[in-house]
Amino acid sequence: MSSLLKIRSERDRMSAIERRIADFILDNAHLLRDYSSQQLANALGISQSSVVKFSQKLGFKGYPDLKYSVGEAIARNGDENGHAARGDGDDDHASLAIDLWNAKANAEEETRLINPGDRLEGISLLLRNADKVFLVGIGPDSIAARGFAIRLSLLGILAIHHFDPVLVPAEVSTSSPSDVLILFSEHGQQASFCQLARLFRERGGRVVTVTRHTANPLRAHADEQLLVSAHDERAHVVPLLYQSALQHLLDQVFLLVCEDEDRRKQLDDNHQQVRHLLDG
């Protein structure tokens, strides 16, 4: 595991000072080679020993080893994410495809590391036993919410997709403690989603949030969290990585729900009916 992956995966379990160091390194990784441990400490207003302890806690001998590892990770990611020389024609297209594949693989690995198996098992159990599952998303998040709702429906789970959070409270007001609300919000900043989560939890329901692996208001209202990590220097590539990593994460949850034999039988029956309708 690269040093940057390790920092991202461990961030939620760090102390406040450690998170400040982690965020600085993740946001300024390409500049880290110019910082000594004392300069990094001065930039953050902390002690030099805090920087050294942070490095050792991650498994490095000290800050120089951490800095060297981060430099290696940047060089490796640069080679993988579009910095390789490209030729013409088919070679150019092949290079583009390989670069994108590698970038997606990195995002999916990071996302897997920050979503432990017991968390995914817990969410899949909630979905198996839910009377109703409400799914809400806006814009691109709505696409993921709708797709996941369709898959849950094929498993025999009553899944209700909403693309407008303003219309949801009336329906949520009839929810029961056995219901689940899944809120898809990449950046987790919508105040309306936070209000929905509060309302739903007041009625005893369980709330699952799907956001980026960043500190955001919506995560504070979740019973369970699905977190996505997707980073790239190219702004136009980042949404592609996010959607790819998110889909892979949802696929894992779907497969866990499918481990229930009754649900899987329902899925097979529904697939047969769909094929019959399409063939007809």
Side-chain angles (χ1 to χ4, degrees):
M1 186 193 312
S2 80
S3 53
L4 295 177
L5 281 180
K6 186 178 291 187
I7 291 171
R8 288 193 184 106
S9 64
E10 294 290 334
R11 185 190 179 282
D12 279 358
R13 294 186 285 272
M14 293 178 181
S15 67
I17 290 178
E18 290 169 343
R19 283 198 297 270
R20 287 174 61 194
I21 301 172
D23 290 342
F24 184 91
I25 293 175
L26 293 173
D27 292 340
N28 304 279
H30 59 293
L31 300 176
L32 199 64
R33 63 185 179 186
D34 299 323
Y35 279 80
S36 67
S37 58
Q38 186 61 63
Q39 288 171 323
L40 177 56
N42 292 341
L44 294 173
I46 59 177
S47 67
Q48 184 181 19
S49 63
S50 295
V51 176
V52 175
K53 289 176 182 177
F54 174 85
S55 305
Q56 293 172 339
K57 189 172 181 179
L58 289 173
F60 298 96
K61 293 180 180 177
Y63 175 73
D65 285 342
L66 170 60
K67 183 166 68 169
Y68 179 78
S69 179
V70 169
E72 278 193 325
I74 292 172
R76 185 165 57 251
N77 288 340
D79 289 339
E80 292 173 351
N81 293 339
H83 297 288
R86 291 180 182 163
D88 298 321
D90 290 342
D91 286 344
D92 187 39
H93 296 153
S95 178
L96 179 67
I98 292 170
D99 290 341
L100 182 58
W101 177 268
N102 287 331
K104 286 183 175 180
N106 287 337
E108 288 167 8
E109 182 184 4
E110 291 180 18
T111 298
R112 177 177 56 81
L113 290 170
I114 59 178
N115 291 277
D118 56 351
R119 179 189 299 169
L120 301 187
E121 288 278 4
I123 292 172
S124 69
L125 188 60
L126 281 179
L127 297 177
R128 284 183 204 169
N129 298 328
D131 284 343
K132 297 188 295 293
V133 179
F134 300 90
L135 303 96
V136 187
I138 299 175
D141 288 316
S142 181
I143 298 172
R146 182 174 183 272
F148 197 52
I150 292 172
R151 288 190 172 192
L152 293 179
S153 296
L154 289 172
L155 288 168
I157 297 171
L158 179 55
I160 305 163
H161 168 240
H162 288 277
F163 60 88
D164 187 349
V166 175
L167 303 177
V168 181
E171 191 160 2
V172 165
S173 65
T174 66
S175 64
S176 68
S178 56
D179 295 339
V180 176
L181 172 66
I182 309 180
L183 296 170
F184 291 74
S185 175
E186 179 175 354
H187 300 289
Q189 300 294 333
Q190 292 100 327
S192 58
F193 277 35
C194 294
Q195 293 170 0
L196 273 179
R198 281 196 297 268
L199 174 62
F200 201 80
R201 294 181 74 184
E202 284 173 2
R203 298 193 60 82
R206 305 295 295 275
V207 175
V208 179
T209 58
V210 185
T211 71
R212 273 190 173 273
H213 184 224
T214 56
N216 62 72
L218 187 57
R219 287 179 62 183
H221 298 281
D223 294 296
E224 298 287 351
Q225 304 175 17
L226 290 174
L227 302 171
V228 180
S229 181
H231 305 271
D232 198 279
E233 294 177 358
R234 300 159 293 176
H236 63 288
V237 174
V238 172
L240 305 180
L241 305 186
Y242 180 84
Q243 292 299 324
S244 175
L246 170 59
Q247 187 59 59
H248 191 68
L249 181 60
L250 295 176
D251 288 347
Q252 292 178 67
V253 175
F254 175 77
L255 289 177
L256 288 171
V257 179
C258 286
E259 289 184 358
D260 182 289
E261 266 191 54
D262 292 336
R263 293 296 183 192
R264 194 165 61 248
K265 184 178 183 303
Q266 183 71 59
L267 177 66
D268 293 339
D269 292 344
N270 285 333
H271 275 161
Q272 274 193 335
Q273 292 179 20
V274 170
R275 280 196 296 269
H276 178 72
L277 290 172
L278 292 175
D279 292 341

